[in-house]
Amino acid sequence: MKAEEGITILKIGGSVITDKSSDDGSAKLDEIERIAAEISRFSGRLIIVHGAGSFGHPQAKRYALTEKFDAKGAIITHDSVKNLNRFVVNSLNKAGLNSVPVHPIGNTVCENGRIVRMFIEGIRIMLKNGFVPVLHGDVVMDTVLGISILSGDQIVPFLAMQLGAERIGIGSAKDGVLDNEGKTIETITSSNFRDIEKYIGASENTDVTGGMFGKVDELLKLCEISSITSYIFNASKNGNVLKFLNGENIGTAINNTGK
Amino acid sequence: MKAEEGITILKIGGSVITDKSSDDGSAKLDEIERIAAEISRFSGRLIIVHGAGSFGHPQAKRYALTEKFDAKGAIITHDSVKNLNRFVVNSLNKAGLNSVPVHPIGNTVCENGRIVRMFIEGIRIMLKNGFVPVLHGDVVMDTVLGISILSGDQIVPFLAMQLGAERIGIGSAKDGVLDNEGKTIETITSSNFRDIEKYIGASENTDVTGGMFGKVDELLKLCEISSITSYIFNASKNGNVLKFLNGENIGTAINNTGK
């Protein structure tokens, strides 16, 4: 690992590592281990952010956390996604990485659901020392709402801006962003987004944080203020995570150049 | 709970809630539940900090974390104390509190083993909304050393200063600070500390963070810059935690007035 090299941020969607149709925390342990093995073959500076899937969305819905403050519901939802995080971190460490769990409930504050502060300094030192910080969608403290639901899809571009990340990969359960014929759209920019946004739905089942539309929207916002290209690709396909980490441009690219 | 009322910080020593003679994580679950029940009868604004006991000290020693950087050792030690934190948080929540785990590894940075930054804003919002943040001794990122061992005894005065806490209680396994005849010293100030420091030993067994001397030293440093009085008392004695929370002055008082 070179100290001066760029930072890669990899999101692993909740639909990839959990059964999202489940009412309560059902992890795809084989998939978590397969992805951990792919990641372990990458030696660059890396941050992992994972979604909550059935370890967060059903709980947040049950307690209507996007509508009202509920302390018990917040605690139960956080505890559930923390269990998923434990599976991910343990698998990564068994695969040979030095990954460290970083829970947004303790290091991030939102205002009306948008991140206003995150404790980045610890993450910088982790990266400098060869650790792989692993964050996740979580319940976080909110200056206005008391608590809010923070999607991993919002964490990724925020970290990318703060740390000047070089590559962003969003590993989803689809081949990328699909058009009306189910074909992967090659590139999305703010210019063509209006034409294709009608094809882009929310995730199936119980996603409380905006699904595919939310992902593209967050990444386009990032493009407005940086020149980074993000890739939305299929992390459920064997080998794709490593392909992305090794520099291949797979799935749908999201940038402000259209290339 | 009144929004404007003062903040209490309660430390529960690792010797109270774990078997410190054990080589590896042995929790005193009955004690954790008894203390959780006492705490649940208190309705003020409260932060809990617990020690690591056999969930941290033997691991930190095994990997010589106070002497050298060891990524794997740091991860194993953090994971162990996190298991103890889960017992504490779950017991508090079963007893009716809304407690939230806050792990220093993700929200605190040290420089040569002393805290230089902690993400306090989330803790403030937790307190405002009736949550009880639960922190603990942990492995944390260090600007100089890469990682360092952060004692709960250092977290307590740091939080007290940042938040302007009203009361500090250090629940240990002894009746307070004991003199050479085993009698509890009533009050320690910077003036009489020199006379009695020879009686004050490190904790028994495997404490890597300074034991009783470390506790008194940290609290005296706090007295130099604030007027707060801290109490070191026996949390292993039934009812003492609630007595402290209810405003009784028990054990050894540490302050800068000598009263």
Side-chain angles (χ1 to χ4, degrees):
Chain A
M1 197 193 73
K2 297 171 209 150
E4 68 280 15
E5 80 185 281
I7 294 165
T8 300
I9 302 179
L10 172 67
K11 160 98 192 282
I12 304 289
S15 54
V16 177
I17 54 174
T18 78
D19 176 1
K20 279 190 95 165
S21 68
S22 167
D23 269 355
D24 207 356
S26 167
K28 294 179 182 170
L29 294 178
D30 290 351
E31 282 296 272
I32 294 174
E33 282 174 17
R34 174 186 62 76
I35 290 169
E38 292 188 32
I39 295 170
S40 73
R41 295 172 60 189
F42 177 69
S43 62
R45 292 204 289 174
L46 177 66
I47 298 176
I48 293 170
V49 179
H50 65 79
S54 55
F55 287 79
H57 296 273
Q59 297 77 4
K61 270 208 167 173
R62 200 174 304 143
Y63 294 95
L65 295 186
T66 55
E67 288 146 45
K68 60 175 177 57
F69 177 85
D70 185 320
K72 281 279 170 234
I75 287 166
I76 288 166
T77 304
H78 168 68
D79 190 55
S80 177
V81 69
K82 206 170 170 180
N83 285 333
L84 175 62
N85 179 259
R86 195 176 309 126
F87 289 133
V88 174
V89 167
N90 287 348
S91 293
L92 289 166
N93 289 339
K94 271 187 206 156
L97 289 161
N98 292 324
S99 78
V100 176
V102 177
H103 308 295
I105 200 171
N107 87 336
T108 306
V109 161
C110 281
E111 183 179 311
N112 281 316
R114 300 296 303 175
I115 301 173
V116 285
R117 243 96 49 202
M118 186 185 278
F119 187 74
I120 298 290
E121 191 180 356
I123 293 173
R124 278 188 213 279
I125 301 176
M126 289 176 195
L127 291 170
K128 195 180 152 198
N129 289 290
F131 291 107
V132 176
V134 184
L135 295 88
H136 54 82
D138 202 357
V139 175
V140 296
M141 296 301 121
D142 190 294
T143 55
V144 176
L145 307 170
I147 56 148
S148 55
I149 299 293
L150 175 61
S151 167
D153 293 332
Q154 191 189 149
I155 296 173
V156 170
F158 186 88
L159 281 175
M161 276 305 294
Q162 294 288 318
L163 297 166
E166 203 169 74
R167 277 174 72 78
I168 291 180
I170 307 291
S172 79
K174 292 187 174 167
D175 287 339
V177 184
L178 308 182
D179 67 14
N180 53 337
E181 290 168 351
K183 235 182 92 187
T184 305
I185 298 166
E186 208 166 301
T187 307
I188 298 178
T189 65
S190 47
S191 342
N192 74 354
F193 186 52
R194 281 192 195 167
D195 300 331
I196 56 182
E197 68 175 317
K198 55 182 176 289
Y199 308 139
I200 308 174
S203 294
E204 300 85 353
N205 302 314
T206 52
D207 199 307
V208 294
T209 55
M212 190 61 90
F213 183 88
K215 287 180 221 314
V216 175
D217 189 49
E218 295 285 355
L219 296 169
L220 277 175
K221 277 180 197 150
L222 176 65
C223 291
E224 287 167 19
I225 41 176
S226 84
S227 62
I228 198 165
T229 299
S230 306
Y231 300 91
I232 299 182
F233 65 91
N234 194 339
S236 294
K237 267 193 193 158
N238 198 6
N240 266 359
V241 166
L242 185 57
K243 274 185 191 168
F244 162 74
L245 293 172
N246 280 340
E248 283 189 45
N249 301 339
I250 52 175
T252 299
I254 294 168
N255 62 34
N256 60 8
T257 63
K259 284 173 195 166
Chain B
M1 197 191 73
K2 296 172 209 148
E4 69 280 14
E5 80 185 280
I7 293 165
T8 300
I9 301 178
L10 173 66
K11 160 101 193 281
I12 303 290
S15 55
V16 177
I17 55 174
T18 78
D19 176 0
K20 279 191 95 164
S21 69
S22 168
D23 269 354
D24 208 356
S26 168
K28 294 180 181 170
L29 295 178
D30 290 352
E31 282 296 89
I32 295 174
E33 282 174 17
R34 173 186 63 76
I35 290 169
E38 291 187 33
I39 295 171
S40 73
R41 294 172 62 188
F42 177 67
S43 62
R45 292 206 287 174
L46 177 65
I47 298 176
I48 293 170
V49 178
H50 64 78
S54 55
F55 287 78
H57 295 274
Q59 298 77 3
K61 270 207 169 176
R62 200 175 303 143
Y63 294 94
L65 295 186
T66 54
E67 288 146 46
K68 61 174 177 58
F69 177 85
D70 184 319
K72 280 280 170 232
I75 286 168
I76 288 166
T77 304
H78 168 69
D79 190 56
S80 177
V81 67
K82 206 171 170 179
N83 285 333
L84 176 61
N85 179 259
R86 194 176 310 127
F87 289 134
V88 174
V89 167
N90 286 348
S91 294
L92 289 166
N93 289 339
K94 270 187 208 157
L97 288 161
N98 292 323
S99 77
V100 175
V102 177
H103 308 295
I105 199 170
N107 87 336
T108 305
V109 161
C110 281
E111 182 179 312
N112 280 316
R114 300 296 303 175
I115 300 173
V116 284
R117 245 94 50 201
M118 186 184 278
F119 187 74
I120 297 288
E121 191 180 355
I123 293 173
R124 278 188 212 281
I125 301 177
M126 289 176 195
L127 291 170
K128 196 180 152 197
N129 289 290
F131 291 107
V132 176
V134 184
L135 295 88
H136 53 83
D138 202 356
V139 175
V140 296
M141 296 301 120
D142 190 294
T143 56
V144 176
L145 307 170
I147 56 147
S148 55
I149 299 293
L150 174 61
S151 168
D153 294 331
Q154 191 189 148
I155 296 172
V156 169
F158 186 88
L159 281 174
M161 276 306 293
Q162 296 288 319
L163 297 165
E166 201 168 76
R167 276 174 73 78
I168 290 179
I170 307 291
S172 80
K174 291 186 174 169
D175 287 339
V177 184
L178 308 182
D179 66 15
N180 53 337
E181 292 168 349
K183 235 182 91 187
T184 305
I185 298 166
E186 207 166 302
T187 307
I188 298 177
T189 66
S190 45
S191 344
N192 73 357
F193 186 51
R194 283 190 193 168
D195 301 331
I196 56 182
E197 66 176 317
K198 56 183 176 288
Y199 309 140
I200 307 175
S203 295
E204 301 83 354
N205 304 314
T206 52
D207 200 308
V208 293
T209 55
M212 189 62 90
F213 182 87
K215 289 180 218 314
V216 175
D217 189 47
E218 294 285 357
L219 296 168
L220 277 175
K221 278 179 197 151
L222 176 66
C223 291
E224 286 168 18
I225 41 177
S226 84
S227 62
I228 198 166
T229 299
S230 307
Y231 300 90
I232 298 180
F233 64 92
N234 195 339
S236 295
K237 268 193 191 158
N238 197 5
N240 266 0
V241 167
L242 185 57
K243 274 185 190 169
F244 163 74
L245 293 173
N246 281 339
E248 284 189 44
N249 301 340
I250 52 175
T252 299
I254 294 168
N255 61 34
N256 60 7
T257 63
K259 282 172 196 167

